Amino acid sequence: MQSRTTPPSGRPCRPAARTGRPRSAAADEAILEATRAALVDLGWSKLTMGDVATRAGVAKTTLYRRWAGKNELVVDAVAVLFDELELPDRGSLARDIEGVVLQFAAILERPETKTALMAVVAESTRDAPLRERIRTSIVERQKRLVLEGRARAERRGELPVPADAVAAARVADLIFDVAAGTVVHRTLVSAEPVDAEWVRHFTLLLLGGLSAASGDA
Amino acid sequence: MQSRTTPPSGRPCRPAARTGRPRSAAADEAILEATRAALVDLGWSKLTMGDVATRAGVAKTTLYRRWAGKNELVVDAVAVLFDELELPDRGSLARDIEGVVLQFAAILERPETKTALMAVVAESTRDAPLRERIRTSIVERQKRLVLEGRARAERRGELPVPADAVAAARVADLIFDVAAGTVVHRTLVSAEPVDAEWVRHFTLLLLGGLSAASGDA
Amino acid sequence: MQSRTTPPSGRPCRPAARTGRPRSAAADEAILEATRAALVDLGWSKLTMGDVATRAGVAKTTLYRRWAGKNELVVDAVAVLFDELELPDRGSLARDIEGVVLQFAAILERPETKTALMAVVAESTRDAPLRERIRTSIVERQKRLVLEGRARAERRGELPVPADAVAAARVADLIFDVAAGTVVHRTLVSAEPVDAEWVRHFTLLLLGGLSAASGDA
Amino acid sequence: MQSRTTPPSGRPCRPAARTGRPRSAAADEAILEATRAALVDLGWSKLTMGDVATRAGVAKTTLYRRWAGKNELVVDAVAVLFDELELPDRGSLARDIEGVVLQFAAILERPETKTALMAVVAESTRDAPLRERIRTSIVERQKRLVLEGRARAERRGELPVPADAVAAARVADLIFDVAAGTVVHRTLVSAEPVDAEWVRHFTLLLLGGLSAASGDA
DNA sequence: TGCTAACCGAGACGGTACGTCCCGTCTTGCG
DNA sequence: CGCAAGACGGGACGTACCGTCTCGGTTAGCA
């Protein structure tokens, strides 16, 4: 259950098909676009390969020539949405956190992301290659923001420099789990909006801990 | 897509069918047990209603008489696993948090929970009644632990008493999203173990914020 | 697959149920009436035992207590319709034949008969007890008309007296197969009406053979 | 409930699907053969589409792609059996009739025909397209024998030439209903064999009418 | 310019699971 | 004990998708 190619990643990992008609590049984007549209219209569980093919004006075989199945296709289709995440310098760690959390939440609240993300993660609990694909296509792409933000905060003197690389990695992973997990839970499980006020409180908690978050409004 | 009854919840929400043969109580438990076994063996996406029926020694129609579909059935099947969550007084807020987080992670790491939970949450993004069922069967049942732990910490003087009920609810919701979301993300997305050391660091972060967590090992 | 009782036949063949509540006699007629109504509305193949029970205001168990299944029930339900067949003396063999054929066709063209009769005969090809039940309930009841009509024609001198009883039985069976079979085929297979003109030609053929029927209009 | 195609009839009535994989011709014959075998083994009412598919080594969907349901499938399966009916010139009308009646009865007494024919006719009382299919596939194919035999008899001078085409058609229809209906009734309702002696008497009746048939042994 | 290999659309194929309907049987509690 | 109600185990239904497989028909790039 591994895709034969990784079309949007650009790497030509297909085993050197020198001759013959090359694959349509336009089809790839049409398929991913159709996949996102189908996610919006139907949600994960009602999305079918045949329907995506029809929407993309493509034969089913063309889909299977490029992706191993629904899981892989959907991961690629939503992965590009996370590319727009950025971390402009807003002047302080608190402002940086607020900014990126709001951006992240905005992506999660899109209907195609909302329905797809948890589903593929659920599938990935039994499918290691899929888990790896999710990690490289989506998760790691976000984690670099944590590293970047932390480095910036250290330069500002807002956070202490970690004792060693291991400790640094451990803290970064923790922060990433806390940040991403909390926003996902708020959005998908609690089904509550991630608005400016909530983000402010969350940032307070992140920076100062429970007593800080409990203090005032 | 609403279950006709809510068998394990005990509430007689069926409109009082006085007459006719009563539903077998034994079948309910056999079905839920079979569902959990099928989740362990097959995972969410390969679990089928027919297979569950066979395992439970029950006709498929009996399943559909009681649950509207796979989603509702699985929610009920895993919900009972969360009943074992408790919050014994371990002497301090930090110890209480560590204890409950470890318990929660232990449940999440069970194979039936791991594969099922994210899947039904994913489905619930397009199915409000299912979302509600998840909330009442699983989520709210955990949230009371947060309230209980917080009240205990206030009695101990470890946390300030909130200004008003609204603020109290807001903080409780936030803490719940942070705690549950983080553990879920660590377990299912990062696919890393929730061990004593990680819990210690997470508790440090929760109590003291980023700088506290960054400080030492 | 033999009915426990033969309700419309009147004979109390139930094995002396001395004690307990006696069976409702009214239920029998209600069930047969409901069966005929269901045949009209739904046809044979869509008629269900549950539906008949509901229409009759009776529990399904009550049906099964009295009839072995759909086949037996339907045979009994349509059998009574053939009771109205009579053979008044119309003065000549030709007139007698025309009269009884028209009567017979009128019964066959009723929607409940049309859909049920061929169906139970089809079932009876693999079910000897059912075939026997059809014979006693429906077929033999018609055959006596042939015998009666033939005897009357002999008294009138329109037909020769057969040489012996065996020959008499053989001829009667043949005439019966010809008369009943032809009308059934005309009605159900050719799906053409059995009107006075057709009956006149058929009677001509029966009395005088092919050349007689071919002669004039 | 109209079949999408009419496979054994050969006529390409499907709207010229130029593109895509063509339907397997071998599958058609395998399915019809499996249907006949299932009719022999199980009879009409116990025959299931799934079982036919299994016997034919074919997916259930392939059946439904070609036939609308059990009725249409069975009509096509038994229709070919009637193709073997022929009318060789035996020298006289009486001999011709005897020959074709014996042939017809031989087909009707085959177990697959016996159980299927009445059943589909019963179904056709509520299903006009099915009735039409039966007529074109089975009934009309037999009726031409009547026309042929009659023409031959006229050439021989055994029967008078009808006054006009309307009268000719009327007589042919009548003879067909009498011949087919009588044999069917004898075979399926009376459940008696159609042997040479019975055929002789039936032919006598057909040619000379009641008094001829009553006369001698 | 003409070959040829891989592409493409369409759609039939063997399969699996679905959710429903009906079967005929079995508890219930009431009369 | 009959009876209405209705749950039960079971089997078949007809449908929807799955992922694979032919088809006839492009469409490059090399010769």
Side-chain angles (χ1 to χ4, degrees), chain D residues 98-164:
Chain D
E98 290 183 7
V100 78
V101 163
L102 278 170
Q103 273 187 64
F104 184 53
I107 296 175
L108 278 186
E109 281 170 343
R110 294 174 67 132
E112 59 270 46
T113 320
K114 190 180 278 197
T115 192
L117 207 59
M118 299 292 270
V120 293
V121 169
E123 291 299 303
S124 79
T125 59
R126 298 224 133 213
D127 182 347
L130 178 62
R131 192 159 55 240
E132 191 50 32
R133 174 182 277 257
I134 293 172
R135 194 193 312 283
T136 56
S137 297
I138 301 180
V139 177
E140 294 296 334
R141 207 162 298 196
Q142 301 162 31
K143 193 176 280 184
R144 70 178 160 77
L145 297 181
V146 173
L147 299 172
E148 203 175 316
R150 170 154 200 102
R152 195 181 290 161
E154 287 170 10
R155 282 196 301 274
R156 288 196 198 100
E158 292 171 306
L159 287 177
V161 177
D164 55 86

Side-chain angles (χ1 to χ4, degrees), chain C residues 39-45 93 97 111 114-115 118-119 121-126 131 135 139 150 159-160 162 170-171 173-178 180-182 184-186 188-191 197-198 201-202 205-211 213-217, chain D residues 39-45 93 97 111 114-115 118-119 121-126 131 135 139 150 159-160 162 170-171 173-178 180-182 184-186 188-191 197-198 201-202 205-211 213-217:
Chain C
L39 281 172
V40 174
D41 291 354
L42 309 169
W44 159 267
S45 63
L93 177 54
I97 292 175
K114 190 180 276 196
T115 192
M118 299 293 270
V121 169
E123 292 298 303
S124 79
T125 59
R126 298 223 135 213
R131 191 160 53 241
R135 195 192 312 283
V139 177
R150 172 157 196 99
L159 287 177
R170 186 183 9 85
V171 176
D173 284 352
L174 175 61
I175 294 169
F176 180 60
D177 282 332
V178 173
T182 302
V184 167
H185 198 273
R186 170 85 176 171
L188 302 183
V189 180
S190 299
E197 194 190 351
W198 183 88
H201 284 100
F202 175 54
L205 177 66
L206 211 51
L207 292 179
L210 258 183
S211 50
S214 307
D216 57 72
Chain D
L39 281 173
V40 173
D41 291 354
L42 308 169
W44 159 267
S45 63
L93 177 55
I97 291 176
K114 190 180 278 197
T115 192
M118 299 292 270
V121 169
E123 291 299 303
S124 79
T125 59
R126 298 224 133 213
R131 192 159 55 240
R135 194 193 312 283
V139 177
R150 170 154 200 102
L159 287 177
R170 184 178 15 80
V171 175
D173 285 352
L174 175 61
I175 294 169
F176 179 61
D177 282 331
V178 172
T182 301
V184 168
H185 198 271
R186 171 83 177 175
L188 303 182
V189 179
S190 299
E197 193 190 351
W198 183 87
H201 284 100
F202 175 53
L205 176 64
L206 212 51
L207 292 178
L210 258 183
S211 49
S214 307
D216 57 71

Side-chain angles (χ1 to χ4, degrees), chain A residues 28 58 96 105 107 117 120 132 140 155 158 166 172 181-182:
Chain A
D28 271 336
V58 141
D96 281 1
I107 295 174
L117 207 59
V120 293
E132 192 50 33
E140 293 297 334
R155 282 198 301 275
E158 292 170 305
V166 172
T182 302

Side-chain angles (χ1 to χ4, degrees), chain B:
Chain B
M1 275 296 194
Q2 172 80 23
S3 154
R4 287 71 147 153
T5 68
T6 315
S9 314
R11 302 177 229 82
C13 63
R14 193 149 45 104
R18 183 79 27 188
T19 176
R21 178 174 171 178
R23 290 191 179 162
S24 159
D28 270 334
E29 195 42 51
I31 292 168
L32 293 177
E33 179 54 40
T35 304
R36 285 186 291 267
L39 282 172
V40 173
D41 291 355
L42 308 170
W44 160 266
S45 62
K46 292 194 161 48
L47 177 149
T48 70
M49 296 297 269
D51 181 68
V52 169
T54 304
R55 285 169 188 257
V58 141
K60 227 180 0 160
T61 42
T62 299
L63 261 72
Y64 284 107
R65 221 173 270 126
R66 291 164 153 87
W67 289 277
K70 189 167 143 171
N71 293 334
E72 289 76 7
L73 172 60
V74 167
V75 170
D76 283 358
V78 300
V80 299
L81 300 177
F82 288 89
D83 287 344
E84 63 191 43
L85 276 177
E86 283 175 13
L87 191 62
D89 191 331
R90 289 182 172 86
S92 73
L93 177 55
R95 305 284 301 275
D96 280 1
I97 291 175
E98 290 182 6
V100 79
V101 163
L102 278 170
Q103 273 186 64
F104 184 54
I107 295 174
L108 279 185
E109 281 169 343
R110 295 173 68 136
E112 60 269 46
T113 320
K114 191 180 278 197
T115 193
L117 207 59
M118 299 293 271
V120 292
V121 169
E123 291 299 303
S124 80
T125 59
R126 298 225 133 212
D127 181 348
L130 179 62
R131 194 160 53 241
E132 191 52 31
R133 175 183 276 256
I134 293 172
R135 195 193 311 284
T136 56
S137 296
I138 300 179
V139 177
E140 294 296 334
R141 207 162 297 193
Q142 299 161 30
K143 193 176 279 185
R144 70 178 160 77
L145 297 181
V146 173
L147 299 171
E148 203 176 316
R150 171 156 197 102
R152 196 181 289 161
E154 288 170 8
R155 282 197 301 277
R156 287 196 198 103
E158 291 171 305
L159 287 177
V161 177
D164 55 86
V166 172
R170 183 176 20 80
V171 175
D173 284 353
L174 176 61
I175 294 170
F176 180 61
D177 282 332
V178 172
T182 301
V183 174
V184 168
H185 198 272
R186 170 84 178 175
T187 306
L188 302 183
V189 180
S190 299
E192 300 283 348
V194 173
D195 53 23
E197 193 192 350
W198 183 87
V199 171
R200 198 165 53 80
H201 283 101
F202 174 54
T203 306
L204 272 178
L205 176 65
L206 211 52
L207 292 178
L210 257 183
S211 49
S214 307
D216 57 71

Side-chain angles (χ1 to χ4, degrees), chain A residues 2 20 70 74 85 98 109 111-112 167 171 189:
Chain A
Q2 174 80 23
K70 185 167 146 172
V74 168
L85 276 178
E98 290 183 6
E109 281 169 344
E112 59 270 46
V171 175
V189 180

